[in-house]
């Protein structure tokens, strides 16, 4: 699968594509954290006090490293996606839209004007990430969908994110030419041959890893 991805991304032809990370890149902040605060504040009416207490307990357990990140995220994702109404969703999407970095959005607009396919790629839950992508005219959104069971819940992160993005772009007849991110979780995407690497407020770990790999990048 990986070899096929490399071949499709480096072969001639295909609509040029830019892949943009969400949290910390397009957004100046973390959308999942914002959704947690939104929910605990009682703004998702169908998530009751008992459920909010359970969410709070899992958050504390995660902070104490007593449970894995996914063990906190999956039940929260499941509860909120099931409970949130259309009006509440619109309010939340407007809220996180206010966190968008204008300089990054301008880069996206410039590339859209040049004919690039724009892909929003994130480990965040798909039910709101896709709505945000539509709001700002992205061609597609690759995010974490909800599984029927916790054991089948796989985040769009790291190699999994790269695989999903490569498959989606290839099926759409595109060719990844630019990757925009802030975090070392996206090193698999950044290591695709011959892409431009645009970093937004990058972590030190990301810059160090790219330098060790001898990969060029630009901080925007």
């Amino acid at each position: 699968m990986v070899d096929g991805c490399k071949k499709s991304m480096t072969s001639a032809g295909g609509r040029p594509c830019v892949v943009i990370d969400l949290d910390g890149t397009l957004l100046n902040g973390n959308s999942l954290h914002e959704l947690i605060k939104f929910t605990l504040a009682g703004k998702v009416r169908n998530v009751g006090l008992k459920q909010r207490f359970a969410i709070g307990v899992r958050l504390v357990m995660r902070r104490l490293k007593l449970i894995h990140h996914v063990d906190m995220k999956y039940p929260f994702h499941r509860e909120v996606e099931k409970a949130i109404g259309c009006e509440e969703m619109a309010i939340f999407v407007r809220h996180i839209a206010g966190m968008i970095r204008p300089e990054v959005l301008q880069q996206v607009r410039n590339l859209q004007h040049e004919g690039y396919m724009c892909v929003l790629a994130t480990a965040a839950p798909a039910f709101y990430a896709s709505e945000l992508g539509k709001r700002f005219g992205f061609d597609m959104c690759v995010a974490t969908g909800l599984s029927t069971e916790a054991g089948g819940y796989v985040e769009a992160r790291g190699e999994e994110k790269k695989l999903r993005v490569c498959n989606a772009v290839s099926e759409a007849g595109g060719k990844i030419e630019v990757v925009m991110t802030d975090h070392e979780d996206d090193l698999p995407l950044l290591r695709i041959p011959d892409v431009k690497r645009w970093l937004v407020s990058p972590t030190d770990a990301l810059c160090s890893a790219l330098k060790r790999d001898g990969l060029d990048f630009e901080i925007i």
Side-chain angles (χ1 to χ4, degrees):
M1 296 294 287
V2 174
D3 289 342
C5 176
K6 283 184 179 180
K7 183 177 180 181
S8 66
M9 291 304 104
T10 57
S11 60
R15 182 182 173 191
C17 171
V18 55
V19 179
I20 304 106
D21 177 49
L22 179 61
D23 297 321
T25 304
L26 183 63
L27 296 186
N28 184 17
N30 185 295
S31 62
L32 182 64
H33 294 172
E34 294 300 313
L35 183 62
I36 291 170
K37 290 189 287 185
F38 187 84
T39 304
L40 292 180
K43 294 182 179 180
V44 181
R45 291 185 296 273
N46 288 329
V47 176
L49 186 60
K50 184 178 179 179
Q51 290 169 290
R52 298 203 300 273
F53 178 77
I55 291 167
V57 169
R58 289 194 295 269
L59 286 172
V60 172
M61 292 178 68
R62 173 57 188 153
R63 181 158 293 187
L64 295 174
K65 298 184 178 179
L66 298 175
I67 61 174
H68 190 273
H69 170 72
V70 170
D71 295 326
M72 178 277 296
K73 182 177 177 180
Y74 172 74
F76 173 74
H77 181 169
R78 180 191 59 206
E79 289 165 13
V80 177
E81 181 168 340
K82 180 180 178 180
I84 196 165
C86 293
E87 183 178 343
E88 294 162 340
M89 174 77 81
I91 292 169
F92 178 69
V93 169
R94 281 200 302 271
H95 169 64
I96 58 173
M99 298 166 55
I100 282 185
R101 296 179 188 267
E103 70 278 15
V104 177
L105 183 60
Q106 186 58 54
Q107 292 284 355
V108 172
R109 293 287 183 248
N110 292 344
L111 291 170
Q112 286 174 325
H113 182 71
E114 293 174 18
Y116 275 68
M117 178 189 303
C118 294
V119 179
L120 186 62
T122 176
F127 74 92
Y128 69 79
S130 60
E131 291 300 314
L132 185 72
K134 291 175 187 175
R135 183 184 180 99
F136 288 97
F138 282 81
D139 294 277
M140 67 178 76
C141 176
V142 174
T144 300
L146 186 62
S147 60
T148 54
E149 297 180 356
Y153 189 72
V154 181
E155 293 185 281
R157 186 186 303 276
E159 288 289 349
E160 178 67 22
K161 182 176 178 178
K162 174 189 172 182
L163 179 62
R164 295 185 192 183
V165 169
C166 285
N167 286 342
V169 170
S170 180
E171 288 176 8
K175 177 179 181 292
I176 297 176
E177 292 195 355
V178 181
V179 175
M180 298 174 63
T181 187
D182 69 300
H183 203 274
E184 61 271 18
D185 281 354
D186 284 327
L187 279 168
L189 278 166
L190 292 164
R191 286 171 175 148
I192 292 173
D194 304 319
V195 298
K196 295 178 182 177
R197 304 167 188 92
W198 292 356
L199 310 185
V200 179
S201 297
T203 62
D204 291 339
L206 174 56
C207 293
S208 297
L210 290 174
K211 288 175 183 176
R212 283 195 304 271
D213 289 350
L215 298 173
D216 295 333
F217 59 89
E218 179 182 351
I219 297 178
I220 62 172

